[in-house]
Amino acid sequence: MNARRLRTSLRGWGGVGAMAVVCALAAVFALLLPVAQSREDGGTDADGQGVAQGSQARAEDCVDPEDQSLAPDSGPQDGATIQKIKEKGSLTVGVDQNSYRWGYRDPNSEAKKAELEGFDIDLVHAIAQDILGDPDKVVFRAIPTNERIPAIQRGDVDMVVRTMTINCERLGLVAFSSPYFKTGQQVLAPKKSDIKGYDDTLANKRICSASGSIALDKLKADLGTVIPKSADISTVVPSQLDCLVRLQLGEVDAVVTDGALAASQAAQDPTVQLKGKPFTDEYYGVAMKKDATDLIRRVNQILVDYRKADWQKSYNTWLAGTLGKGDGPPAVQYK
């Protein structure tokens, strides 16, 4: 692993003032890191590929979505998609630049220009190293949660590595690699709150989630059954970081998001904490176009090697401080 990415332990960023600094930095770096924009006309890109939403997978036909990726040895790993990436000389990847210890810019960095770093970013560099022979031949594009799939469909990016959960609906729109991380949905709330978890204690509480997220889908499905009908789930924002800011400002009472992200947000602000246990089992995968079969197989082969040593090194650097020792990378099966 490149030594410049092994940063020293970072100081906590608690408080609204600190988050304002982070948001300001994100705005500055947005000038350097292009943000994928949504397209509302539902048209096609330059080579005629449709960018509409596409057909969704039928839930009854989808079992264990994390096990639906192509095996590395099921076909060519160096076809048209890989050749196109090699010809342009760089890998274009959709990432987050505001998720602490996953994909973010550290304002305390000693570097003159704070570079993107984190668990997801380490994986991107490993993929670039394998395909292009240089871990830094990457064009990062910052994309909000709800733009991850459209950015892939339009061809704005070659892949998305952004704490993206593999699920049946998304498998109807994009392809995923085998899973590289296991997590689950969890509740984040102020330590002093009487909220105990994803249960009746959310009655009359204002809950924030990100647009296009598993959390929002789960909240909609469970309102009036698992959680009280009086829970207000109307606060929906483009990015999970926005939910943390809303929580700090007192505009919402709780956040529902992936437990791994929630733990990182709790590390940023010592006044909040995880409430209750995870209430789902989810897996992060690298998302790509459905027809990019050679790239899918190539990424899966890279992950086979990455899990042997580099995965744990990256985990220890970025996540062990908030998630503990962990259980290592998830077990993998292919379709």
Side-chain angles (χ1 to χ4, degrees):
M1 184 173 295
N2 196 319
R4 68 179 177 77
R5 291 196 290 277
L6 298 180
R7 310 295 187 195
T8 55
S9 298
L10 302 174
R11 298 186 292 273
W13 294 0
V16 177
M19 292 311 301
V21 172
V22 175
C23 292
L25 283 170
V28 171
F29 283 114
L31 298 174
L32 301 173
L33 186 61
V35 178
Q37 298 295 323
S38 62
R39 200 167 128 184
E40 299 178 353
D41 59 8
T44 59
D45 59 18
D47 62 4
Q49 297 294 320
V51 296
Q53 288 300 309
S55 60
Q56 296 183 357
R58 294 170 57 190
E60 62 268 27
D61 296 334
C62 177
V63 178
D64 298 327
E66 68 276 9
D67 298 336
Q68 300 303 311
S69 194
L70 296 173
D73 58 359
S74 62
Q77 294 183 16
D78 197 11
T81 308
I82 295 292
Q83 290 305 312
K84 187 175 180 179
I85 292 170
K86 289 181 177 179
E87 288 170 6
K88 69 177 179 177
S90 63
L91 187 69
T92 307
V93 186
V95 297
D96 199 344
Q97 64 174 355
N98 296 315
S99 287
Y100 187 48
R101 297 191 173 179
W102 286 90
Y104 77 113
R105 295 184 184 276
D106 175 18
N108 298 318
S109 173
E110 296 178 358
K112 292 182 180 179
K113 182 175 69 173
E115 298 175 346
L116 275 169
E117 54 189 21
F119 189 79
D120 278 346
I121 304 304
D122 281 353
L123 177 55
V124 173
H125 286 297
I127 295 172
Q129 171 66 51
D130 184 273
I131 294 176
L132 296 167
D134 186 338
D136 295 320
K137 285 189 175 181
V138 181
V139 175
F140 291 107
R141 294 192 179 276
I143 53 176
T145 304
N146 61 356
E147 269 296 299
R148 293 177 298 189
I149 289 175
I152 294 169
Q153 292 179 320
R154 290 192 302 264
D156 295 346
V157 296
D158 298 312
M159 62 184 64
V160 167
V161 184
R162 192 189 182 284
T163 58
M164 190 169 177
T165 298
I166 307 167
N167 71 6
C168 293
E169 180 178 350
R170 290 172 179 171
L171 281 173
L173 303 170
V174 297
F176 281 94
S177 70
S178 57
Y180 67 87
F181 197 85
K182 183 179 180 180
T183 185
Q185 295 296 310
Q186 211 160 354
V187 176
L188 183 74
K191 289 181 177 179
K192 63 182 180 181
S193 170
D194 59 359
I195 294 173
K196 299 185 183 301
Y198 196 71
D199 53 28
D200 289 345
T201 60
L202 291 174
N204 300 305
K205 303 297 186 183
R206 300 162 298 171
I207 306 168
C208 183
S209 62
S211 175
S213 67
I214 299 296
L216 178 58
D217 292 340
K218 186 68 174 166
L219 285 165
K220 289 178 178 178
D222 292 346
L223 189 64
T225 55
V226 179
I227 61 174
K229 191 173 182 179
S230 62
D232 180 356
I233 64 172
S234 63
T235 302
V236 180
V237 297
S239 171
Q240 283 297 339
L241 180 65
D242 300 330
C243 276
L244 178 59
V245 174
R246 297 288 185 96
L247 187 65
Q248 291 172 320
L249 292 172
E251 296 177 1
V252 297
D253 303 302
V255 174
V256 174
T257 186
D258 302 351
L261 290 177
S264 293
Q265 291 178 357
Q268 291 175 255
D269 186 347
T271 69
V272 302
Q273 67 180 181
L274 295 170
K275 300 281 189 172
K277 297 180 179 180
F279 51 90
T280 62
D281 289 325
E282 297 172 15
Y283 298 84
Y284 294 157
V286 177
M288 295 157 278
K289 274 191 172 182
K290 289 178 68 67
D291 60 355
T293 53
D294 60 323
L295 181 61
I296 298 163
R297 296 188 191 100
R298 182 68 168 268
V299 170
N300 280 342
Q301 183 59 59
I302 294 168
L303 284 170
V304 169
D305 299 329
Y306 191 75
R307 293 185 187 99
K308 293 176 181 177
D310 289 340
W311 188 98
Q312 192 63 52
K313 291 178 183 177
S314 184
Y315 181 92
N316 291 343
T317 299
W318 303 113
L319 305 179
T322 53
L323 296 177
K325 183 179 179 181
D327 299 320
V332 173
Q333 294 186 45
Y334 302 101
K335 68 178 180 180

